[in-house]
């Protein structure tokens, strides 16, 4: 059952990324480049509930920092990955994040290391992100939990 659920989630995430990458437009009608962000923790956080709480707070803070409103405007999709030591970290793709310097994003995160990359061309972004989902398939911490999180309002074809 877990294998089938993981397969369905992986396909759903793949479709969401493929549909939303290079879709969202700026005010001047140019297209946002997708941005790939990895969030890690200084502490060895292994509890998904704690990690998800800090992840959600980060998304809200970054949204406010970027758009100066509590109304959610950031469009994103993130997946959890487990490190060998048991710690979790997050891989996020933002579909409409304007340029923000890495140091500013790190200041909003405050819980550890970040790695940020813009995605210039239509490389297989969806495949890259979904491979992280399948790495933790056997981890029992995912039983009954979603393998991904995303903003509301993403397009799904």
């Amino acid at each position: 059952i877990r294998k089938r659920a993981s397969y369905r989630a992986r396909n759903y995430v793949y479709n969401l990324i493929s549909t939303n990458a290079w879709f969202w437009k700026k005010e001047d009608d140019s297209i946002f480049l997708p941005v790939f962000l990895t969030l890690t923790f200084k502490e060895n956080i292994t509890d998904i509930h704690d990690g998800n709480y800090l992840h959600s707070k980060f998304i809200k803070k970054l949204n406010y920092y970027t758009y100066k409103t509590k109304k959610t405007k950031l469009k994103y999709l993130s997946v959890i990955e487990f490190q060998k030591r048991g710690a979790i970290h997050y891989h996020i793709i933002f579909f409409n994040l304007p340029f923000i310097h890495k140091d500013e994003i790190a200041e909003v995160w405050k819980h550890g290391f970040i790695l940020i990359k813009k995605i210039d061309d239509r490389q297989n972004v969806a495949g890259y992100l979904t491979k992280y989902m399948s790495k933790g398939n056997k981890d029992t911490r995912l039983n009954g939990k979603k393998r991904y999180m995303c903003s509301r309002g993403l397009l799904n074809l």
Side-chain angles (χ1 to χ4, degrees):
I1 292 172
R2 190 179 330 155
K3 189 175 182 179
R4 279 196 317 254
S6 175
Y7 180 76
R8 280 192 312 270
R10 187 176 186 272
N11 285 340
Y12 183 72
V13 166
Y14 191 93
N15 289 335
L16 278 177
I17 295 170
S18 298
T19 304
N20 287 278
W22 296 279
F23 172 79
W24 298 95
K25 294 183 178 182
K26 301 176 186 177
E27 290 178 5
D28 65 359
D29 271 349
S30 62
I31 295 174
F32 280 104
L33 291 178
V35 175
F36 186 76
L37 179 69
T38 301
L39 300 175
T40 61
F41 294 98
K42 279 185 259 183
E43 298 177 24
N44 191 19
I45 295 187
T46 58
D47 184 80
I48 291 176
H49 178 72
D50 294 342
N52 286 351
Y53 174 76
L54 294 172
H55 171 276
S56 295
K57 279 183 62 174
F58 167 73
I59 295 293
K60 288 176 185 175
K61 285 180 181 180
L62 185 61
N63 181 75
Y64 188 81
Y65 183 86
T66 305
Y67 290 106
K68 307 295 185 236
T69 180
K70 290 185 180 183
K71 182 179 178 186
T72 305
K73 291 191 174 193
L74 276 178
K75 301 298 179 194
Y76 71 93
L77 187 138
S78 64
V79 299
I80 298 172
E81 183 186 10
F82 300 100
Q83 296 173 329
K84 289 181 183 177
R85 64 185 172 120
I88 59 175
H89 63 270
Y90 295 90
H91 298 282
I92 307 170
I93 184 168
F94 288 101
F95 302 110
N96 67 339
L97 183 67
F99 176 80
I100 301 174
H101 194 273
K102 177 182 177 180
D103 294 339
E104 295 174 80
I105 295 175
E107 184 61 32
V108 174
W109 174 233
K110 293 184 182 182
H111 295 289
F113 178 75
I114 68 161
L115 175 67
I116 188 165
K117 292 193 269 184
K118 73 176 182 174
I119 302 161
D120 289 329
D121 56 5
R122 292 184 183 261
Q123 57 199 15
N124 193 0
V125 179
Y128 187 68
L129 196 64
T130 56
K131 83 173 183 171
Y132 292 114
M133 289 178 70
S134 56
K135 286 175 86 175
N137 278 345
K138 295 181 179 158
D139 197 305
T140 57
R141 291 178 285 178
L142 283 174
N143 289 352
K145 295 190 173 46
K146 286 184 116 178
R147 290 157 164 59
Y148 65 92
M149 293 169 279
C150 62
S151 58
R152 292 182 183 179
L154 291 181
L155 302 174
N156 186 19
L157 298 179

